[in-house]
Amino acid sequence: MNTPAPTRHDVLILGAGMSGLAMAMALQRAGRHDFLIVDKSAGLGGTWWDNRYPGACVDVPAPLYSFSCAPHPGWQRRFAAAPEILAYMQGLASRHGLARHLRLGTAVRAANFDENRGRWLITLDSDEVIDARFFVCSTGPLSVPRWPAIEGLDSFAGPRLHSARWDNTVDMAGRRVGVIGTGSTASQLVPELAKQAARLTVFQRTPNWVLPRFDRAYGALDRLLFHVPGWNRVVRAFWAATSESFRRGFEPGSQAQGRLTALARGHMRRQLRGDEALRQQLQPTYPIGCKRIVFSNDYLRAFTQPQVQLETKAITRITATGVQLADGSEHPLDVLVCATGFDVQHSVSVPITGRGGALLQAQWADGAMAHLGTTVAGFPNLFLMLGPNTATGHTSTLLFIEPQLRFALRAMQLLDKRGSRWLDVRADTMQAFNDELQQRLQGSVWMQCRSWYRADNGRNVAIWPGYTPEYRRRLAQVDFEREFVFG
Ligand code: NA7
């Protein structure tokens, strides 16, 4: 049997989430129309395709969660719900004619850099091989659901759901439902499940800091204003500036951190209506900002309802009928929900092989590392979107995606101009950047507790330690001739 010849493209984009779509639109703007977007899901949307649990919404204001090149005048609420964001993305894809570039329901099996030709060979699960000059990996840091490592998880006889793989055919009405996890996802899910379940038990390992969500519905006047040229930019700039000033609260021991802590404590007291026993159980003991802060006006309050129970004893195992605790007691359950987050460490699960046969995943065994979160030494013409250390706890992830797009485009244009086949960041440049990064993270608030920001060995692989403008500036100032090698 003849193996079909690889299909050639200028750019292969892996992942049709926010950053994949943004990259596609940026390529079009730059006049580069020969690209293919591959995603294993049946629909585009990434995070917003995956997270369909009741109550799912974004935790930054929607005007800041839309691309600067594609403002959306139609947001219904300041903190948009998941279906609204998905509709925004679908609208963008259709306006930009992306359907013909999209290959959905298709997984990538492996990606190998062919040094002789200076091109990426990307094998799809259909055995088809894509031969691309540039490889954009936009799989997102929060895309691989993480099930809790608890003995007996598989033995549970009833429906068992992960929040990021929601099954809306499971009926919660009148049933005994257990939720493991108390992060941002659980905070959105718990108030919704409390409306349906006969009994809802929330298993908390670590409490989270909760701040009020200054949400509101956008009315006709807002939408009218959003159509006024320039108004979107003003609102976006306002939220970007507000988020950066909020970031001051993450400086250990600062007055701003004290104010943020006081705001959270006051919010908790009001939400719990003076229930001191509950307050003590829900009160975090680590500094605010260490984990991603929860923004909610109904999560804490949910625990004051008679059918909702907070369980803080450690889980020892899961049985066919429920959850067993350290004191030997058991919570009988009909449905088990795991809002246990994502495997950030293995978020790039496709084996990626670079120069000299180096495997990215092997290189990242002690924690992911890249130069400015987007390019990795030994992996030429590979651009990571939202790669290591480009997350923040204070602002929209889109403010990191946009400079990354500009950087990738600049690199592509430079290669065209130079007539080179590839560019690769120098290993010493990448190492020096990461030494600086880890040094800045030492003693920071993000090193003072366990969170998805940190790998199993404690290394912080997710957080950008500075303010957003610094990231934008540094990426814009990359000196390719000095910091990269060319082939
Ligand atoms: P997170 O923030 O990683 O939260 C996961 C939660 O699950 C957290 O409360 C964990 O407790 C808990 N967890 C994980 N494993 C276990 C086990 N084995 N036993 C008990 N509890 C466990 O994920 P989310 O989905 O809520 O949010 C992810 C991001 O999405 C969020 O930050 C926003 O940026 C959007 P722990 O705190 O580790 O003790």
Side-chain angles (χ1 to χ4, degrees):
M1 202 175 80
N2 286 340
T3 319
T7 316
R8 277 174 78 94
H9 285 286
D10 187 33
V11 187
L12 186 288
I13 303 173
L14 172 55
M18 273 289 194
S19 55
L21 287 191
M23 177 53 90
M25 293 188 296
L27 288 170
Q28 285 182 326
R29 279 197 303 279
R32 306 183 87 99
H33 297 280
D34 181 16
F35 60 87
L36 182 70
I37 317 170
V38 175
D39 196 298
K40 62 179 173 358
S41 298
L44 64 87
T47 288
W48 305 104
W49 173 266
D50 287 344
N51 285 272
R52 287 156 178 262
Y53 58 84
C57 67
V58 66
D59 59 2
V60 295
L64 201 56
Y65 200 77
S66 23
F67 295 107
S68 51
C69 65
H72 181 46
W75 294 119
Q76 299 292 312
R77 297 198 72 81
R78 183 180 282 159
F79 290 86
E84 225 192 311
I85 303 168
L86 194 58
Y88 167 67
M89 298 175 77
Q90 286 162 342
L92 283 180
S94 101
R95 269 214 312 279
H96 289 261
L98 294 182
R100 65 195 175 87
H101 296 275
L102 266 170
R103 193 82 72 80
L104 296 168
T106 306
V108 167
R109 205 186 298 141
N112 297 291
F113 186 67
D114 177 347
E115 260 182 278
N116 292 328
R117 298 185 311 118
R119 293 181 67 94
W120 283 94
L121 289 173
I122 294 136
T123 311
L124 310 182
D125 59 359
S126 57
D127 287 337
E128 185 184 348
V129 177
I130 308 294
D131 176 343
R133 186 171 181 211
F134 300 105
F135 177 27
V136 175
C137 183
S138 48
T139 48
L142 304 171
S143 53
V144 179
R146 188 181 55 190
W147 291 93
I150 302 174
E151 190 194 323
L153 182 67
D154 293 337
S155 65
F156 186 68
R160 170 165 67 83
L161 287 79
H162 191 285
S163 49
R165 295 289 180 272
W166 198 255
D167 177 355
N168 59 16
T169 64
V170 176
D171 188 12
M172 304 285 173
R175 304 178 85 180
R176 296 164 304 178
V177 179
V179 175
I180 302 179
T182 53
S184 302
T185 297
S187 76
Q188 299 179 353
L189 192 50
V190 163
E192 294 303 315
L193 292 180
K195 292 176 191 163
Q196 303 167 30
R199 185 166 187 76
L200 178 67
T201 309
V202 180
F203 298 92
Q204 172 184 275
R205 185 165 68 178
T206 318
N208 253 290
W209 286 100
V210 183
L211 285 174
R213 191 161 63 165
F214 297 107
D215 194 13
R216 72 174 179 87
Y218 283 137
L221 180 62
D222 294 288
R223 278 192 284 280
L224 196 71
L225 279 171
F226 278 132
H227 279 100
V228 174
W231 180 245
N232 250 298
R233 262 210 309 281
V234 172
V235 176
R236 205 169 184 273
F238 168 78
W239 283 115
T242 305
S243 307
E244 291 310 302
S245 88
F246 173 78
R247 156 73 177 75
R248 286 197 218 112
F250 297 166
E251 302 295 350
S254 64
Q255 280 188 0
Q257 192 180 42
R259 282 195 295 273
L260 220 50
T261 308
L263 179 65
R265 285 185 193 277
H267 183 54
M268 179 178 278
R269 271 196 306 275
R270 283 189 298 279
Q271 290 271 305
L272 297 180
R273 302 183 168 118
D275 186 327
E276 185 51 25
L278 255 182
R279 193 195 64 77
Q280 281 183 17
Q281 287 181 303
L282 287 161
Q283 175 64 60
T285 52
Y286 57 84
I288 194 163
C290 182
K291 285 177 191 286
R292 175 94 180 188
I293 295 172
V294 165
F295 294 89
S296 174
N297 300 331
D298 51 7
Y299 170 64
L300 294 172
R301 182 155 293 173
F303 292 104
T304 65
Q305 298 175 46
Q307 80 283 18
V308 182
Q309 184 184 7
L310 176 67
E311 182 53 78
T312 57
K313 289 192 275 302
I315 301 173
T316 45
R317 54 192 291 263
I318 290 165
T319 66
T321 52
V323 168
Q324 237 172 50
L325 303 174
D327 66 354
S329 62
E330 180 165 343
H331 280 278
L333 297 174
D334 301 313
V335 182
L336 180 61
V337 174
C338 295
T340 44
F342 301 89
D343 186 352
V344 180
Q345 238 175 311
H346 302 104
S347 57
V348 180
S349 52
V350 172
I352 299 180
T353 309
R355 284 167 75 191
L359 184 66
L360 184 73
Q361 284 78 4
Q363 208 157 297
W364 283 2
D366 292 330
M369 189 208 267
H371 184 55
L372 289 160
T374 192
T375 170
V376 186
F379 298 83
N381 293 7
L382 166 69
F383 300 100
L384 303 174
M385 303 300 293
L386 299 179
N389 297 95
T390 58
T392 71
H394 71 279
T395 193
S396 171
T397 190
L398 270 60
L399 299 187
F400 284 71
I401 292 176
E402 292 191 338
Q404 287 166 8
L405 303 175
R406 289 194 288 270
F407 171 81
L409 259 299
R410 207 152 64 85
M412 292 175 190
Q413 283 154 0
L414 177 67
L415 284 185
D416 291 345
K417 204 167 115 199
R418 265 176 135 264
S420 307
R421 285 174 308 165
W422 52 261
L423 51 69
D424 187 11
V425 66
R426 293 170 58 113
D428 55 353
T429 302
M430 182 175 88
Q431 190 60 52
F433 166 73
N434 277 276
D435 291 346
E436 176 213 324
L437 194 77
Q438 291 302 324
Q439 201 193 345
R440 285 171 70 177
L441 283 163
Q442 287 314 313
S444 74
V445 71
W446 305 289
M447 298 302 281
Q448 297 177 23
C449 67
R450 168 181 52 200
S451 73
W452 65 259
Y453 300 154
R454 300 175 73 188
D456 294 342
N457 61 6
R459 184 190 166 92
N460 195 312
V461 291
I463 281 285
W464 170 251
Y467 288 75
T468 312
E470 182 197 339
Y471 182 73
R472 211 165 37 228
R473 192 174 56 247
R474 290 184 70 162
L475 214 43
Q477 287 173 351
V478 165
D479 179 347
F480 285 102
E481 297 296 339
R482 201 168 49 83
E483 299 169 31
F484 282 66
V485 288
F486 294 84

